[in-house]
Amino acid sequence: MNYLKKLGLSFIYIVGTILVLTFIITILNYFDILKDKTISLFKIVIPIISLLIGGFYIGKKSNKKGFIEGLKLGLIFSIFIVIFNFLAFSSSFKFKYLLFYLIIIMSSILGSMIGINTKKN
């Protein structure tokens, strides 16, 4: 039960970060501060930053092996996004999506390794 609490809170951090950063980018786009190429770059950067933060949280709360916790978090999030894309948008699976999911998983692993190393003993 404790692990599910940590996992749920890290997902709350991930979704919260995505919502806040998307809201900021939307406001900047509304006032024509950002260009279209910059917005397409932020579509890639925002999930990476949010999974880095979520991985940092779960790494900080875990006892050992932060990379495995980050791997689990990244895999669960990637599977959730794949299922959402298939059901909501009925999009087909492409190689560039696989590369994006691997980058997201690596971001989560990196965040959890940083989180477990910043823990006080």
Side-chain angles (χ1 to χ4, degrees):
M1 190 64 155
N2 193 19
Y3 179 73
L4 290 176
K5 183 179 176 183
K6 288 189 295 188
L7 193 65
L9 284 174
S10 64
F11 271 111
I12 289 173
Y13 279 121
I14 290 170
V15 171
T17 306
I18 287 174
L19 289 175
V20 168
L21 290 176
T22 304
F23 182 71
I24 291 170
I25 297 304
T26 303
I27 289 175
L28 293 175
N29 185 30
Y30 179 75
F31 292 113
D32 289 332
I33 296 173
L34 296 177
K35 305 291 182 210
D36 289 337
K37 289 195 179 216
T38 310
I39 293 171
S40 65
L41 176 70
F42 277 117
K43 280 197 251 179
I44 297 170
V45 172
I46 287 175
I48 292 171
I49 291 172
S50 65
L51 261 97
L52 191 72
I53 292 171
F56 180 82
Y57 176 78
I58 203 163
K60 194 135 177 108
K61 295 295 180 180
S62 66
N63 295 329
K64 56 184 176 178
K65 299 193 186 211
F67 64 93
I68 292 181
E69 298 296 326
L71 179 67
K72 286 191 266 185
L73 179 69
L75 282 174
I76 291 170
F77 190 79
S78 295
I79 289 170
F80 176 73
I81 295 298
V82 166
I83 291 171
F84 183 75
N85 280 338
F86 282 143
L87 293 178
F89 301 120
S90 40
S91 63
S92 62
F93 191 78
K94 296 179 183 173
F95 179 72
K96 67 179 180 179
Y97 296 146
L98 178 66
L99 184 63
F100 178 67
Y101 297 136
L102 288 175
I103 291 171
I104 283 178
I105 292 169
M106 294 303 293
S107 171
S108 175
I109 291 172
L110 179 67
S112 65
M113 288 190 318
I114 293 170
I116 202 160
N117 286 323
T118 58
K119 228 167 83 164
K120 292 183 181 179
N121 293 329

